[in-house]
Amino acid sequence: MSTEPRINDRIRVPEVRLVGPSGEQVGIVPLAKALELAQEYDLDLVEVAATARPPVCKLMDYGKFKYESAMKAREARKNQAHTVIKEMKLRPKIDPHDYDTKKGHVVRFLKQGDKVKITIMFRGREQSRPELGYRLLQRLAEDVQDLGFVESNPKQDGRNMIMVLGPHKKKTEAMAEAREAAAARKAERQGRQDIDADVDADVATDADETPDAEQAPEGE
């Protein structure tokens, strides 16, 4: 079934409760009168409450209304926060350089407002030393405590040990900050380009205004 409202001559009732183009209440009028007013204003008669008695209709530009509604829905979807769980895998005896690299990824994920599932993978004899993984997870949680918190404490899952970190900032806040930062960088780049353009223009002007060296008379 179509969810589109009935408009103009598709409305089949003897009378309607009419709302004007600015939201003013016109009152209950015959359908013919409402259609006449729609033509007079060069607008559409749109049924906005079909179950009311009588149905409520409004005078509006229906094409413009549909376009604006679609744009609002698109913007809402764009700003919608989706819960994303990133995953980072580590070994119990990870070397310092690799640890810093992995930690950097975790920091980035948390700044983006995403959760992070940290998995410690045990192999061979490492499985008999679960405390190594536990200490590593505790260390990582402390290193990123300004950005996130332990949402799920470390627990053994077969050969792996798993912990989940949650971000302090909501996804929507992180997205808004990212857009502001991008806009600031764009404005800064534009400012530098404008300054460079002004400098180039000044150099060109100075070159045009520099008098040519006087030529010496012939024979000298």
Side-chain angles (χ1 to χ4, degrees):
M1 294 180 62
S2 175
T3 58
E4 292 283 333
R6 293 187 297 183
I7 66 172
N8 300 325
D9 56 3
R10 285 192 287 167
I11 301 172
R12 303 293 186 178
V13 292
E15 59 184 15
V16 298
R17 185 178 297 278
L18 186 62
V19 179
S22 299
E24 69 276 14
Q25 297 292 329
V26 177
I28 298 175
V29 300
L31 177 61
K33 177 63 176 177
L35 290 170
E36 182 182 327
L37 288 172
Q39 289 183 342
E40 183 179 324
Y41 283 105
D42 194 22
L43 295 172
D44 299 300
L45 181 67
V46 182
E47 191 179 56
V48 294
T51 58
R53 291 293 178 267
V56 179
C57 294
K58 184 176 181 181
L59 297 174
M60 67 172 74
D61 183 336
Y62 187 58
K64 180 180 179 182
F65 170 76
K66 285 185 64 176
Y67 174 78
E68 291 177 348
S69 297
M71 289 299 100
K72 288 179 182 178
R74 180 180 177 184
E75 190 65 22
R77 288 193 300 270
K78 179 181 177 182
N79 295 328
Q80 187 175 3
H82 296 282
T83 301
V84 177
I85 299 181
K86 305 289 188 177
E87 185 172 11
M88 187 59 57
K89 297 182 178 181
L90 294 79
R91 295 293 306 280
K93 297 180 180 180
I94 188 171
D95 68 61
H97 175 73
D98 286 344
Y99 174 81
D100 289 338
T101 300
K102 301 280 188 178
K103 182 181 73 174
H105 292 313
V106 173
V107 167
R108 177 164 54 86
F109 295 148
L110 292 173
K111 283 184 177 180
Q112 293 172 350
D114 296 322
K115 297 181 181 182
V116 188
K117 175 184 175 183
I118 311 296
T119 302
I120 304 295
M121 301 179 297
F122 296 94
R123 294 180 181 175
R125 295 181 180 179
E126 294 175 346
Q127 297 181 56
S128 62
R129 301 289 305 279
E131 69 277 5
L132 295 177
Y134 185 78
R135 285 201 296 265
L136 182 58
L137 291 175
Q138 280 188 317
R139 175 188 173 189
L140 181 59
E142 291 173 0
D143 286 347
V144 299
Q145 61 184 342
D146 291 343
L147 299 171
F149 61 95
V150 177
E151 185 173 286
S152 178
N153 288 315
K155 62 181 180 180
Q156 196 77 26
D157 182 15
R159 295 183 178 182
N160 301 327
M161 182 175 288
I162 297 171
M163 177 181 73
V164 177
L165 296 174
H168 289 314
K169 291 182 181 178
K170 294 181 179 180
K171 184 72 172 181
T172 49
E173 295 175 356
M175 291 170 63
E177 289 184 0
R179 286 195 296 269
E180 291 176 1
R185 289 193 298 269
K186 181 178 180 181
E188 183 180 355
R189 287 196 301 269
Q190 186 62 49
R192 287 199 298 266
Q193 290 174 359
D194 292 343
I195 292 174
D196 291 342
D198 290 342
V199 170
D200 291 342
D202 290 342
V203 170
T205 301
D206 292 343
D208 291 341
E209 294 179 352
T210 301
D212 295 333
E214 293 184 0
Q215 296 182 356
E218 293 182 3
E220 291 187 7

XYZ file of all heavy atoms in Angstrom, residues 109-149:
341
model
N 40.599 4.337 17.291
C 39.241 3.787 17.321
C 38.402 4.436 18.417
O 37.242 4.798 18.198
C 39.282 2.270 17.529
C 39.920 1.510 16.410
C 40.620 0.336 16.644
C 39.816 1.965 15.100
C 41.203 -0.367 15.612
C 40.403 1.262 14.048
C 41.100 0.090 14.313
N 38.994 4.578 19.595
C 38.257 5.173 20.717
C 37.926 6.637 20.443
O 36.841 7.114 20.784
C 39.064 5.047 22.009
C 39.241 3.617 22.553
C 40.204 3.616 23.733
C 37.903 3.019 22.956
N 38.856 7.347 19.803
C 38.599 8.750 19.454
C 37.446 8.868 18.473
O 36.721 9.869 18.468
C 39.859 9.391 18.863
C 40.910 9.762 19.894
C 42.082 10.472 19.235
C 43.104 10.925 20.260
N 44.252 11.622 19.605
N 37.277 7.845 17.633
C 36.186 7.836 16.657
C 34.855 7.435 17.291
O 33.830 7.417 16.619
C 36.513 6.876 15.516
C 37.676 7.338 14.653
C 38.106 6.282 13.645
O 37.670 5.134 13.701
N 38.979 6.660 12.720
N 34.893 7.098 18.589
C 33.662 6.719 19.277
C 33.303 5.254 19.114
O 32.161 4.865 19.370
N 34.266 4.417 18.700
C 34.000 2.995 18.498
C 34.486 2.166 19.685
O 35.454 2.525 20.360
C 34.709 2.497 17.229
C 34.174 3.154 15.971
O 32.949 3.372 15.911
O 34.968 3.454 15.062
N 33.818 1.049 19.902
C 34.287 0.091 20.889
C 35.438 -0.718 20.291
O 35.543 -0.846 19.073
C 33.154 -0.859 21.302
C 31.982 -0.174 21.990
C 30.933 -1.198 22.386
C 29.747 -0.515 23.058
N 28.719 -1.504 23.512
N 36.271 -1.252 21.171
C 37.407 -2.043 20.685
C 37.467 -3.364 21.449
O 37.514 -3.378 22.683
C 38.741 -1.295 20.860
C 39.859 -2.066 20.154
C 38.663 0.122 20.313
N 37.460 -4.448 20.698
C 37.613 -5.787 21.273
C 39.094 -6.152 21.188
O 39.660 -6.244 20.105
C 36.757 -6.793 20.498
C 36.936 -8.227 20.944
C 36.105 -9.143 20.048
C 36.328 -10.611 20.375
N 35.570 -11.503 19.457
N 39.719 -6.318 22.352
C 41.137 -6.662 22.403
C 41.262 -8.168 22.618
O 40.699 -8.710 23.571
C 41.857 -5.925 23.549
C 41.509 -4.422 23.524
C 43.365 -6.146 23.454
C 41.969 -3.694 22.303
N 41.973 -8.829 21.725
C 42.142 -10.277 21.812
C 43.619 -10.621 21.990
O 44.449 -10.233 21.166
C 41.615 -10.979 20.546
O 40.225 -10.660 20.370
C 41.768 -12.485 20.658
N 43.929 -11.308 23.087
C 45.281 -11.817 23.306
C 45.305 -13.275 22.826
O 44.514 -14.106 23.293
C 45.681 -11.770 24.793
C 45.541 -10.328 25.334
C 47.117 -12.274 24.979
C 46.481 -9.340 24.715
N 46.188 -13.570 21.881
C 46.255 -14.909 21.301
C 47.420 -15.698 21.923
O 48.574 -15.270 21.838
C 46.435 -14.811 19.781
C 45.313 -14.051 19.076
S 45.581 -13.929 17.279
C 47.111 -12.952 17.237
N 47.092 -16.817 22.564
C 48.106 -17.672 23.176
C 48.439 -18.835 22.249
O 47.543 -19.412 21.626
C 47.594 -18.224 24.508
C 47.332 -17.172 25.546
C 46.059 -16.634 25.699
C 48.354 -16.723 26.367
C 45.814 -15.668 26.654
C 48.113 -15.755 27.327
C 46.836 -15.219 27.470
N 49.707 -19.171 22.188
C 50.141 -20.304 21.381
C 51.086 -21.178 22.199
O 51.901 -20.679 22.980
C 50.835 -19.827 20.107
C 49.912 -19.101 19.133
C 50.663 -18.655 17.905
N 49.808 -17.925 16.968
C 50.247 -17.342 15.850
N 51.542 -17.407 15.544
N 49.406 -16.708 15.055
N 50.975 -22.481 21.958
C 51.890 -23.420 22.607
C 51.903 -23.264 24.116
O 50.872 -23.251 24.789
N 53.126 -23.133 24.660
C 53.296 -23.058 26.108
C 52.721 -21.779 26.708
O 52.529 -21.693 27.923
C 54.783 -23.170 26.456
C 55.405 -24.513 26.093
C 56.866 -24.547 26.482
N 57.471 -25.825 26.130
C 58.755 -26.116 26.352
N 59.565 -25.202 26.923
N 59.228 -27.295 26.011
N 52.458 -20.780 25.862
C 51.885 -19.522 26.374
C 50.530 -19.752 27.041
O 50.124 -18.990 27.901
C 51.730 -18.511 25.240
C 53.040 -18.028 24.645
C 52.830 -17.127 23.434
O 51.687 -17.097 22.915
O 53.797 -16.467 23.020
N 49.846 -20.825 26.661
C 48.524 -21.092 27.213
C 48.575 -21.393 28.706
O 47.558 -21.260 29.410
C 47.873 -22.263 26.470
C 47.633 -21.990 24.997
C 46.976 -23.160 24.289
O 45.925 -23.626 24.685
N 47.616 -23.651 23.237
N 49.744 -21.785 29.190
C 49.887 -22.066 30.621
C 50.239 -20.807 31.407
O 50.415 -20.862 32.627
C 50.975 -23.125 30.849
O 52.248 -22.651 30.398
N 50.354 -19.668 30.722
C 50.700 -18.399 31.394
C 49.631 -17.335 31.107
O 49.911 -16.292 30.507
C 52.063 -17.911 30.899
C 53.226 -18.856 31.115
C 53.606 -18.935 32.590
N 53.883 -17.627 33.140
C 55.057 -16.995 32.994
N 56.029 -17.551 32.272
N 55.251 -15.823 33.555
N 48.371 -17.555 31.514
C 47.322 -16.571 31.227
C 47.563 -15.221 31.884
O 47.061 -14.200 31.426
C 46.057 -17.231 31.782
C 46.557 -18.186 32.818
C 47.860 -18.692 32.273
N 48.362 -15.228 32.965
C 48.621 -13.953 33.655
C 49.360 -12.965 32.756
O 49.237 -11.738 32.924
C 49.414 -14.186 34.941
C 50.854 -14.646 34.772
C 50.983 -16.154 34.557
O 49.947 -16.830 34.445
O 52.129 -16.646 34.502
N 50.121 -13.480 31.752
C 50.811 -12.574 30.827
C 49.799 -11.767 30.021
O 49.964 -10.562 29.825
C 51.708 -13.383 29.878
C 52.882 -14.131 30.510
C 53.624 -14.936 29.443
C 53.821 -13.153 31.197
N 48.783 -12.454 29.553
C 47.746 -11.757 28.801
C 46.956 -10.797 29.667
O 46.625 -9.685 29.240
N 46.669 -11.216 30.888
C 45.895 -10.366 31.793
C 46.646 -9.072 32.086
O 46.075 -7.978 32.053
C 45.603 -11.126 33.075
C 44.698 -10.374 34.031
C 43.321 -10.320 33.823
C 45.240 -9.715 35.123
C 42.492 -9.625 34.686
C 44.418 -9.014 35.998
C 43.045 -8.971 35.774
O 42.234 -8.259 36.632
N 47.953 -9.190 32.369
C 48.751 -7.998 32.665
C 48.837 -7.082 31.447
O 48.802 -5.851 31.579
C 50.151 -8.407 33.138
C 50.195 -8.938 34.547
C 51.600 -8.845 35.124
N 52.551 -9.677 34.395
C 52.870 -10.919 34.763
N 52.310 -11.472 35.831
N 53.753 -11.609 34.064
N 48.936 -7.670 30.260
C 49.015 -6.865 29.041
C 47.714 -6.094 28.819
O 47.734 -4.905 28.455
C 49.313 -7.758 27.842
C 49.466 -7.058 26.484
C 50.581 -6.020 26.534
C 49.741 -8.081 25.385
N 46.595 -6.731 29.054
C 45.301 -6.061 28.896
C 45.144 -4.947 29.930
O 44.623 -3.866 29.613
C 44.166 -7.078 29.021
C 44.038 -8.089 27.879
C 42.949 -9.108 28.184
C 43.746 -7.373 26.566
N 45.569 -5.201 31.152
C 45.511 -4.160 32.184
C 46.371 -2.962 31.797
O 45.954 -1.803 31.957
C 45.982 -4.720 33.529
C 44.927 -5.536 34.276
C 45.399 -5.880 35.676
O 46.558 -6.268 35.881
N 44.507 -5.721 36.650
N 47.544 -3.238 31.280
C 48.449 -2.160 30.856
C 47.813 -1.318 29.760
O 47.841 -0.081 29.816
C 49.764 -2.761 30.364
C 50.733 -1.749 29.779
C 51.913 -2.464 29.134
N 52.775 -1.542 28.413
C 53.777 -1.932 27.615
N 54.033 -3.231 27.455
N 54.514 -1.029 26.968
N 47.235 -1.984 28.775
C 46.605 -1.263 27.668
C 45.429 -0.430 28.162
O 45.265 0.730 27.756
C 46.134 -2.253 26.605
C 45.471 -1.649 25.365
C 46.420 -0.684 24.657
C 45.032 -2.751 24.400
N 44.622 -0.993 29.049
C 43.474 -0.249 29.582
C 43.930 1.006 30.318
O 43.304 2.068 30.209
C 42.656 -1.144 30.506
N 45.025 0.909 31.069
C 45.554 2.070 31.789
C 46.120 3.106 30.827
O 45.973 4.311 31.038
C 46.637 1.617 32.777
C 46.086 0.803 33.946
C 47.188 0.231 34.826
O 48.383 0.481 34.506
O 46.870 -0.446 35.820
N 46.742 2.638 29.741
C 47.350 3.570 28.783
C 46.308 4.399 28.035
O 46.617 5.501 27.560
C 48.214 2.806 27.767
C 49.519 2.308 28.379
O 49.858 2.766 29.491
O 50.181 1.463 27.754
N 45.098 3.879 27.887
C 44.073 4.589 27.106
C 42.895 5.024 27.983
O 41.818 5.323 27.474
C 43.559 3.717 25.936
C 44.689 3.376 24.985
C 42.867 2.458 26.440
N 43.093 5.079 29.294
C 41.989 5.356 30.207
C 41.389 6.750 30.006
O 40.236 6.985 30.369
C 42.432 5.184 31.656
C 43.543 6.114 32.091
C 43.995 5.831 33.511
O 43.279 5.182 34.277
N 45.178 6.303 33.873
N 42.159 7.688 29.420
C 41.611 9.018 29.155
C 40.581 8.986 28.028
O 39.745 9.884 27.925
C 42.731 9.993 28.786
C 43.633 10.313 29.976
O 43.206 10.053 31.116
O 44.762 10.779 29.748
N 40.656 7.969 27.169
C 39.763 7.885 26.009
C 38.690 6.809 26.153
O 37.634 6.903 25.510
C 40.583 7.593 24.747
C 41.626 8.647 24.371
C 42.497 8.135 23.237
C 40.949 9.945 23.964
N 38.963 5.790 26.947
C 38.009 4.692 27.043
C 38.054 4.010 28.398
O 38.907 4.295 29.243
N 37.121 3.094 28.594
C 37.003 2.364 29.859
C 36.790 0.878 29.545
O 36.413 0.509 28.435
C 35.825 2.895 30.677
C 34.492 2.740 29.989
C 33.680 1.643 30.240
C 34.055 3.682 29.064
C 32.463 1.491 29.599
C 32.832 3.539 28.420
C 32.039 2.444 28.678
